[in-house]
Amino acid sequence: MLLDTSGLLCYLHQNELQHQEAVRLLNSAKKTLTHSYVLAELIALALIRRFPRPAVLVFVMDLLDNPDIETVWVDEQLHREAMKLLIDRQDKTYSLCDAVSFVLMRQRGMTEALTTDRHFEQEGFVKLL
């Protein structure tokens, strides 16, 4: 299961509608993956939504330290592959972060994402929230 920004926000914030489902899904997941662009986007979005900065930063560090969550660091090759996907899908409103997720999911043979983002469904993946 890929951990996307919106899914992690649901997990982090108890007032999110899908909070309990996000907690259940993440706690029961056997294999989880995220990437550095998700973490960067999560910090920015959480701060825009006025989540407490110290709690957000601790949460992201906990994700990085969690041995059950693999964090992929986006390098030039992955970034370029994601850019190619964006160029090929100009009819979509995918973010670069989305595109990196899609490339990684295909590379790893993953089908499910902890996300509320409909873009995952547009690319043929299962949106779990």
Side-chain angles (χ1 to χ4, degrees), residues 5-6 37 43 50 64 76 78 80 93 125:
T5 308
S6 64
Y37 286 11
I43 291 169
R50 302 201 188 285
L64 288 171
E76 182 181 354
L78 182 53
R80 285 181 176 276
T93 58
F125 300 109

Side-chain angles (χ1 to χ4, degrees), residues 33-123:
L33 175 77
T34 194
H35 55 84
S36 54
Y37 286 11
V38 165
L39 300 180
E41 188 176 72
L42 176 64
I43 291 169
L45 189 55
L47 295 178
I48 287 169
R49 295 178 80 184
R50 302 201 188 285
F51 289 15
R53 183 179 180 87
V56 171
L57 298 176
V58 165
F59 179 71
V60 170
M61 289 303 296
D62 287 346
L63 290 172
L64 288 171
D65 292 336
N66 188 328
D68 297 324
I69 299 172
E70 179 184 356
T71 301
V72 173
W73 297 95
V74 178
D75 61 9
E76 182 181 354
Q77 180 180 346
L78 182 53
H79 183 96
R80 285 181 176 276
E81 289 178 45
M83 289 297 299
K84 182 180 181 323
L85 188 143
L86 291 177
I87 290 166
D88 292 344
R89 305 278 198 292
Q90 291 189 43
D91 61 320
K92 306 291 187 215
T93 58
Y94 301 163
S95 70
L96 179 57
C97 185
D98 290 342
V100 169
S101 295
F102 303 154
V103 169
L104 274 177
M105 290 177 77
R106 286 198 178 97
Q107 287 176 348
R108 302 292 181 96
M110 301 176 86
T111 58
E112 298 180 329
L114 186 71
T115 188
T116 62
D117 187 342
R118 65 183 171 80
H119 293 144
F120 283 80
E121 291 177 325
Q122 290 176 344
E123 273 300 300

